[in-house]
Amino acid sequence: MTLHLVRHGRPLVVPGTPAATWDLDPASYDDVWALRARLPVRAAWFTSPEPKAVQTAQLLTDGDVGVVDELREHERSGEWVDDFEGAVRRAFGHPDRPALDGWEPLDDCRARVVPAVRRILDVHGAEDVVLVGHGTAWTLVAAELAGERPDLDRWAALRMPDLVTLG
């Protein structure tokens, strides 16, 4: 069994609205399609309910994709953040509290996402699994499954879209 964590493609950013509501930017479709060749044809597929993730999954497979609410990204308000990377780094530095007003503490995100991933892996343990979602959530999942601290340099290097494969 191999776990494939796909970060969604580049979204259409709408400042002042929560990122959880953003759609996938049609200009990123080619980048998303390029990932298809790196993913298994036969796998159990699941996605976050966020539009950009669902739309990414729809471009990556012709098969069924389950939508799992708990796979949504670290919840953040719709306020524009000029130093987004710095805010996320603060969130990882103090995961027990919000990095900014309106942001979910990372401990809460981890407590939601990791058990959902573990349940999926328990049910589909003999199959490859593809999860389509988000950079911060996948950083937490990868660290938890490896028994390590989150790798913030790896998080910062993630592209949209991107793929992290865990064996």
Side-chain angles (χ1 to χ4, degrees):
M1 185 280 303
T2 302
L3 174 61
H4 305 270
L5 301 173
V6 176
R7 185 184 193 189
H8 60 79
R10 207 172 48 255
L12 280 171
V13 175
V14 182
T17 63
T21 65
W22 296 347
D23 285 311
L24 187 63
D25 185 342
S28 74
Y29 286 10
D30 287 342
D31 294 335
V32 173
W33 283 323
L35 281 183
R36 274 184 89 124
R38 296 174 53 198
L39 293 165
V41 174
R42 289 191 169 88
W45 283 75
F46 297 90
T47 184
S48 155
E50 295 186 24
K52 60 189 167 280
V54 171
Q55 293 158 8
T56 297
Q58 290 169 337
L59 291 175
L60 290 173
T61 183
D62 298 323
D64 293 333
V65 179
V67 176
V68 179
D69 184 63
E70 292 89 349
L71 297 181
R72 66 191 182 279
E73 178 61 300
H74 173 228
E75 294 177 8
R76 303 173 185 130
S77 66
E79 297 296 320
W80 187 256
V81 178
D82 288 327
D83 183 16
F84 181 75
E85 182 174 337
V88 172
R89 287 186 181 276
R90 281 193 308 279
F92 277 100
H94 300 282
D96 59 325
R97 60 182 186 247
L100 296 170
D101 287 341
W103 283 35
E104 172 185 43
L106 275 185
D107 283 347
D108 292 358
C109 180
R110 179 184 296 114
R112 171 175 39 80
V113 176
V114 171
V117 171
R118 289 191 189 281
R119 282 191 305 274
I120 291 167
L121 295 177
D122 286 347
V123 171
H124 298 279
E127 305 172 68
D128 284 345
V129 173
V130 179
L131 304 179
V132 181
H134 313 279
T136 304
W138 292 164
T139 299
L140 293 169
V141 168
E144 189 76 20
L145 295 179
E148 300 171 353
R149 294 182 50 82
D151 183 344
L152 290 179
D153 291 333
R154 186 177 184 183
W155 168 83
L158 284 172
R159 297 174 312 276
M160 288 187 238
D162 212 339
L163 173 64
V164 175
T165 301
L166 305 173

